[in-house]
Amino acid sequence: MKKLIAANWKMYKSSAEAHNCVATLLGFLGKKAPENKEILVFPPFTAIKAVSEVFAGGSGFFAGGQNFYPEPEGAFTGEIALGMLREAGASWVLAGHSERRSIFGESNELVGRKTAYAYEAGLGVVLCIGETLAQRENGELEQVLTAQLEAGMAGLPVELDGARLAVAYEPVWAIGTGKVAGTGEIAEAHNLVRKILGKISPRHGAELRILYGGSVKADNAGGIMAVDNVDGVLVGGASLDAEKFSKIALA
Ligand code: PGA
């Protein structure tokens, strides 16, 4: 399967800035995503349309939503429905990003409901997991990742379209801190995630893409993507700059 190179723009960029950024990105990469790669960009909601319109002129580029609420519509002030994201041009969503978990209190159970809901609706889902520094230091890595993956995937069907579900392993201590995990730590965690996926989904665990996220930059992306069981990257800060992100996509 193709590697997934994903940009999480968080709460950055107006729609004009987003338009310019992805137009510049296509200028660097050409109208086709690099060979054997798919490019996903998760802009703020208000910029999804601008991004998807530029991507419609290329191939292998997809826009996504950073968040949504797992109901078709209703009295959920401040939330957004998948139909609305789709209308803006989104074909992927993130679920369980550590900022959603820690700042907005999303539980493993809610992340699981969201993952199943978006998958059933036909979107691609990047299910994000990862341990805090305290959990790692307490020797809880396997326990935390197992709980996040079991709950996160609990509502998915047994027969999965593996192209529409990816897992992003993002150690919380490496997100936005400049502290990238070492390739040894990444290899160990990704092997562990692969093992847990195999138990949860004997049929599809081996094929699901596992992305690494946490301070990925142009100069470390190639080394990270060469690690066993790393099938792509989820990039925050460095994805806001088209030139830097294009280098990551080409790494
Ligand atoms: P970062 O963010 O690349 O800025 O560390 C990654 C993420 O939050 O997905």
Side-chain angles (χ1 to χ4, degrees):
M1 224 181 298
K2 293 182 177 174
K3 292 219 192 257
L4 272 182
I5 314 294
N8 173 13
W9 283 357
K10 310 191 180 188
M11 202 167 74
Y12 292 97
K13 290 191 194 293
S14 66
S15 67
E17 288 165 343
H19 172 98
N20 289 343
C21 185
V22 288
T24 310
L25 180 70
L26 261 62
F28 282 120
L29 295 177
K31 297 227 148 123
K32 266 178 84 177
E35 184 137 348
N36 285 322
K37 293 191 175 129
E38 288 175 319
I39 311 288
L40 307 183
V41 175
F42 295 91
F45 300 141
T46 48
I48 292 174
K49 190 160 188 280
V51 168
S52 65
E53 280 171 1
V54 173
F55 282 175
S59 80
F61 298 92
F62 306 93
Q66 295 172 20
N67 186 37
F68 62 96
Y69 194 70
E71 290 290 340
E73 61 183 4
F76 302 104
T77 302
E79 292 296 321
I80 194 158
L82 288 182
M84 299 165 186
L85 293 179
R86 271 205 150 113
E87 183 182 38
S91 52
W92 281 78
V93 286
L94 295 179
H97 188 277
S98 75
E99 285 147 24
R100 298 293 321 166
R101 293 176 188 265
S102 67
I103 305 172
F104 303 102
E106 290 197 9
S107 63
N108 279 349
E109 186 273 331
L110 176 60
V111 172
R113 262 204 290 144
K114 292 171 77 164
T115 300
Y117 190 85
Y119 179 84
E120 291 290 351
L123 280 93
V125 186
V126 179
L127 167 61
C128 306
I129 59 167
E131 82 290 0
T132 63
L133 189 58
Q135 289 167 332
R136 174 171 276 262
E137 287 175 349
N138 287 338
E140 296 167 22
L141 179 65
E142 178 157 5
Q143 190 190 323
V144 169
L145 299 184
T146 302
Q148 289 175 337
L149 282 169
E150 280 180 351
M153 295 174 65
L156 291 169
V158 177
E159 273 309 331
L160 270 180
D161 172 0
R164 283 201 294 112
L165 180 72
V167 170
Y169 168 68
E170 301 197 291
V172 176
W173 46 273
I175 295 179
T177 58
K179 264 190 226 153
V180 65
T183 47
E185 286 167 317
I186 296 176
E188 185 199 9
H190 279 240
N191 288 341
L192 184 56
V193 171
R194 182 69 72 204
K195 186 183 89 178
I196 301 167
L197 285 176
K199 282 195 195 144
I200 297 174
S201 174
R203 287 193 210 178
H204 300 283
E207 76 185 89
L208 298 180
R209 288 175 284 191
I210 308 172
L211 318 186
Y212 171 79
S215 299
V216 173
K217 306 271 181 276
D219 60 4
N220 61 24
I224 291 170
M225 274 191 279
V227 174
D228 231 24
N229 282 317
V230 175
D231 309 302
V233 285
L234 178 54
V235 190
S239 73
L240 294 167
D241 181 280
E243 186 173 7
K244 288 183 186 157
F245 188 58
S246 72
K247 287 189 180 147
I248 292 171
L250 292 167

